[in-house]
Amino acid sequence: MAVVVLVMSGASHCAASVVGHSLQMDEASGAVLTIREGTLLLGERAIPRIVFEASGPGIKSIAGVQTLVVPSTAAAFSVLYVNELEANETTVHIHGQTPPQNLDGVPYLSALPIRPKRSQYVAYPLVGNNLGANTGTYFAHGHFGYQHSLGLAMPVIVKGPPPAGYPLLAALDAAEDVVVFLEDVCPYFADDPSTNPTCTEPFEVYARLVDAWADEAASFNYSQCMEPATGTDVLYRYQTANSRLASDPAVVEAVPGGKLRLRFIAASGMTNYRIVLPPEVRETARAVAVDGQWILPLEPGSDGEFWLAVAQRLDVLIEAPQTPGAYPVFAQAESLEPGSLQSAITIVVGGPAHIPAPGVYSVTTSIPPGIMNFAQELRLQAYRLGGTDELPDFAQPDKLFRLELTGDNGFNSINRASYQLVPFAPLPYSANPNALVVDLGDKVCIDYVNFNADPHAMHLHMHSFMVVEIDGQPVNGAIRDTLLMARGGCHSARICFVADAPGPALLHCHMSFHLFAGMVTTVEYSSTARVAPSYTAPMGLVPRPAASTAPTSPASISRGEAAAIGLFAFLVCSILAGVCFLAARWWSRRVDSSPRWPHSSPAGSPLVAVRPLRRTGSTSSSHTSHTLTPDT
Ligand SMILES: [Cu+2]
């Protein structure tokens, strides 16, 4: 397959050079995303991070956040990824979008990593699926090793109008976009705040979780519904909104009565959030979308709050107050223990004179502690008009799977099995032995049952799903890509989707340390699936804008000249194709045989500690042998 791709790209480059075009980005929505080491300044502290440096026509600054904005009318959007990391490979996943499998960005499952100092051009077809239109709020994040935990994430908005007949059409038309990008920064093991002192060593935290599991593995009772945990195994030193602390929040200026569409994105590693709106806007505030999919407009909960789990998105339409002043919107970290952290943005009405002085808002919340349960999920309903009214009937699924969320601490698992991605699992890549096998076109349902004490943000790649049952109660629920399974007590939920995206699709808990531990499985298509769906744009190609001033117009040369150029181009292409073929063979042998991880990191790099955990001890596949220590 790699050979074909290389030859094709060589040939198309030839063709492009003959007619005088060079490679160009989609003028409306292209971006160059450079992955590099950077720093995040929080107060006096500069924290080493891995970041996207973004440029290109599709990049807009919204509320101070670099955001990739794609018009929903585009057939595709193109991204050039440039890996400027000194020693680490990378892959990028656009969370919630449903591209073809080869563009999904999961190491070795769907993508070969981009090597250091190399780049990759990707054109994502902007396609919906049987359940959703994919217009809305998304985010891109690193899917390799610890890179997302170290900051590699940014918002992606597919901008388009609501479906015809939507209740808040006029207000949404008039609304200004405000991105609220929530991150938790610098994890540490909750029982030992001395872990990860430099914020560059998340593997230290993970190693402690694995040790904790080793202590309890032998006597662990998998059949027991654990009590809900009151806290969390991993805490964070900072909570940020738009890369700022609550004491120095991003400011959004609004006119009195102006409409704002707050696009909350939980790009956090382990933190679920209670969104607390200012009392002045609660009466008219309505949630209009979750995970990029329209819902029936939803009022805030009784305390003026909405909830948002790891990796979920929530769009809330608000009306700015008439009275000049500063109106903070807080994102409080979920906890049952007092004093959890919060981040904020501030909506300012009446001009810069009303911008609050630094330090007015605390980073520690005074709001009573609370946890995310199913209360909000039970109130959500997908908005079914405008192309999604013909939802499939999931009452009689073709395939029904039961996934028990099991384990504890460092061994979070699905049906008692752990499946780790590279680089947490060593190369060569080995397939998931416990895949959920479906046929193309199947109506598929999954019953989740959470035996674990912790909440889990269950994310399905490449498909949108519908929530159809919560704790045994049928619902016409939201269409989503990430569902928060409430903590403890064997809470259950059924999700359903149409198997319309062939290829192995990752299904995993999006909480970072649970993903590291292998709380992962895959949806895979049986070998009888032979007919692939058609996409609006050819895979890997993006429609180019028509060239109005091509340097060499084919009409301006004679037939003889054209024939000579054609023959010359054919010869050059043939030679290049041969070279590409040989190069691809050489490359594929290297990929197959050479260990890709760990890489030696340059001395003095602030991120030398971005290292994998190495298995030690028994090589048995039994879970009790998953003893992991940092590579040295
Ligand atoms: Cu989890």
Side-chain angles (χ1 to χ4, degrees):
M1 194 60 206
V3 172
V4 173
V5 170
L6 282 167
V7 172
M8 290 292 288
S9 68
S12 68
H13 184 73
C14 278
S17 66
V18 167
V19 295
H21 290 291
S22 57
L23 187 68
Q24 52 193 305
M25 310 301 296
D26 182 317
E27 281 183 358
S29 55
V32 178
L33 300 183
T34 301
I35 296 111
R36 61 165 69 249
E37 294 170 1
T39 51
L40 172 64
L41 199 60
L42 294 179
E44 297 294 300
R45 187 163 182 191
I47 295 173
R49 301 283 273 171
I50 295 179
V51 299
F52 286 119
E53 189 179 87
S55 62
I59 299 297
K60 316 270 186 264
S61 177
I62 304 180
V65 185
Q66 295 288 289
T67 302
L68 173 56
V69 180
V70 181
S72 66
T73 49
F77 61 100
S78 50
V79 179
L80 179 64
Y81 294 109
V82 182
N83 181 1
E84 283 290 350
L85 298 176
E86 287 299 325
N88 285 293
E89 298 171 331
T90 191
T91 65
V92 177
H93 168 64
I94 301 200
H95 185 103
Q97 283 288 311
T98 55
Q101 180 259 350
N102 61 325
L103 307 182
D104 198 44
V106 180
Y108 295 94
L109 190 77
S110 53
L112 285 178
I114 308 168
R115 295 170 76 86
K117 307 298 179 186
R118 294 290 183 273
S119 60
Q120 183 181 42
Y121 175 75
V122 179
Y124 296 95
L126 198 57
V127 290
N129 52 55
N130 287 6
L131 296 186
N134 288 1
T135 299
T137 309
Y138 300 87
F139 68 115
H141 66 80
H143 216 299
F144 194 84
Y146 297 110
Q147 290 172 9
H148 181 194
S149 290
L150 289 161
L152 190 59
M154 67 175 285
V156 176
I157 293 176
V158 180
K159 198 162 169 55
Y166 192 76
L168 299 168
L169 209 56
L172 279 163
D173 262 356
E176 282 212 40
D177 282 321
V178 176
V179 164
V180 187
F181 199 68
L182 302 172
E183 293 172 283
D184 43 14
V185 178
C186 195
Y188 62 95
F189 186 51
D191 292 344
D192 183 0
S194 74
T195 44
N196 191 20
T198 61
C199 302
T200 57
E201 299 167 359
F203 65 85
E204 278 192 7
V205 184
Y206 180 45
R208 297 294 291 271
L209 292 173
V210 173
D211 285 348
W213 169 252
D215 289 342
E216 65 179 324
S219 60
F220 192 77
N221 178 3
Y222 281 98
S223 306
Q224 172 200 353
C225 288
M226 297 178 79
E227 289 295 314
T230 57
T232 170
D233 299 321
V234 178
L235 285 169
Y236 286 79
R237 292 191 172 85
Y238 308 98
Q239 292 288 343
T240 62
N242 300 3
S243 299
R244 304 174 79 103
L245 299 172
S247 54
D248 179 28
V251 170
V252 175
E253 291 200 56
V255 297
K259 306 289 190 296
L260 301 174
R261 179 173 176 177
L262 308 180
R263 295 176 182 260
F264 295 96
I265 302 169
S268 47
M270 296 288 282
T271 308
N272 303 321
Y273 296 101
R274 171 154 62 181
I275 307 297
V276 184
L277 299 173
E280 295 83 352
V281 309
R282 287 177 192 172
E283 195 176 328
T284 56
R286 295 291 182 273
V288 295
V290 294
D291 293 1
Q293 307 291 341
W294 297 100
I295 55 171
L296 280 177
L298 182 78
E299 297 174 19
S302 52
D303 294 325
E305 86 284 8
F306 288 108
W307 287 91
L308 185 65
V310 165
Q312 290 183 337
R313 287 86 63 215
L314 174 77
D315 291 19
V316 179
L317 182 67
I318 67 166
E319 189 178 307
Q322 295 290 341
T323 311
Y327 302 92
V329 176
F330 289 105
Q332 173 194 13
E334 173 199 49
S335 175
L336 273 180
E337 287 150 10
S340 65
L341 300 183
Q342 65 187 7
S343 57
I345 64 157
T346 306
I347 296 160
V348 169
V349 177
H354 298 278
I355 294 174
V360 167
Y361 306 121
S362 169
V363 296
T364 307
T365 176
S366 58
I367 304 161
I371 56 165
M372 188 169 180
N373 53 31
F374 278 141
Q376 177 176 281
E377 201 66 42
L378 279 161
R379 297 166 59 220
L380 293 177
Q381 264 188 280
Y383 185 74
R384 288 162 172 250
L385 297 178
T388 57
D389 48 338
E390 295 294 324
L391 285 172
D393 177 9
F394 290 117
Q396 299 290 331
D398 300 304
K399 300 273 166 39
L400 174 62
F401 300 96
R402 176 181 165 92
L403 297 187
E404 297 183 355
L405 310 182
T406 48
D408 197 16
N409 292 315
F411 185 69
N412 281 290
S413 51
I414 294 176
N415 290 345
R416 311 180 185 192
S418 160
Y419 176 64
Q420 290 178 299
L421 295 176
V422 176
F424 296 97
L427 285 171
Y429 165 77
S430 56
N432 174 19
N434 302 306
L436 315 183
V437 179
V438 302
D439 288 308
L440 191 66
D442 274 353
K443 287 180 282 187
V444 182
C445 294
I446 294 173
D447 286 338
Y448 292 118
V449 185
N450 187 8
F451 281 71
N452 192 232
D454 301 317
H456 298 287
M458 301 308 296
H459 172 51
L460 176 61
H461 285 228
M462 295 164 50
H463 307 73
S464 296
F465 58 78
M466 187 168 182
V467 182
V468 302
E469 193 179 298
I470 296 173
D471 277 338
Q473 179 179 336
V475 292
N476 292 314
I479 293 169
R480 285 194 170 284
D481 52 64
T482 308
L483 175 67
L484 194 276
M485 288 300 300
R487 59 180 68 201
C490 282
H491 284 293
S492 66
R494 176 174 290 189
I495 63 156
C496 297
F497 61 95
V498 177
D500 62 351
L506 205 66
L507 193 171
H508 65 102
C509 179
H510 214 281
M511 301 183 122
S512 302
F513 291 86
H514 302 174
L515 169 63
F516 304 156
M519 195 166 197
V520 176
T521 189
T522 50
V523 173
E524 303 195 13
Y525 285 67
S526 75
S527 57
T528 59
R530 291 294 184 220
V531 184
S534 61
Y535 289 93
T536 54
M539 288 184 196
L541 295 176
V542 65
R544 303 261 174 256
S548 53
T549 54
T552 307
S553 164
S556 68
I557 56 176
S558 70
R559 279 187 188 175
E561 287 168 335
I565 290 173
L567 180 62
F568 176 73
F570 174 78
L571 288 171
V572 172
C573 285
S574 301
I575 292 166
L576 267 181
V579 170
C580 288
F581 175 76
L582 292 172
R585 280 185 54 179
W586 173 81
W587 181 257
S588 65
R589 282 184 188 156
R590 274 180 61 92
V591 167
D592 289 345
S593 61
S594 62
R596 310 287 293 277
W597 187 283
H599 298 285
S600 58
S601 297
S605 161
L607 293 172
V608 288
V610 186
R611 291 174 298 190
L613 292 155
R614 173 168 51 84
R615 287 169 195 272
T616 59
S618 162
T619 55
S620 148
S621 63
S622 155
H623 60 261
T624 54
S625 71
H626 284 213
T627 307
L628 300 168
T629 55
D631 270 347
T632 49

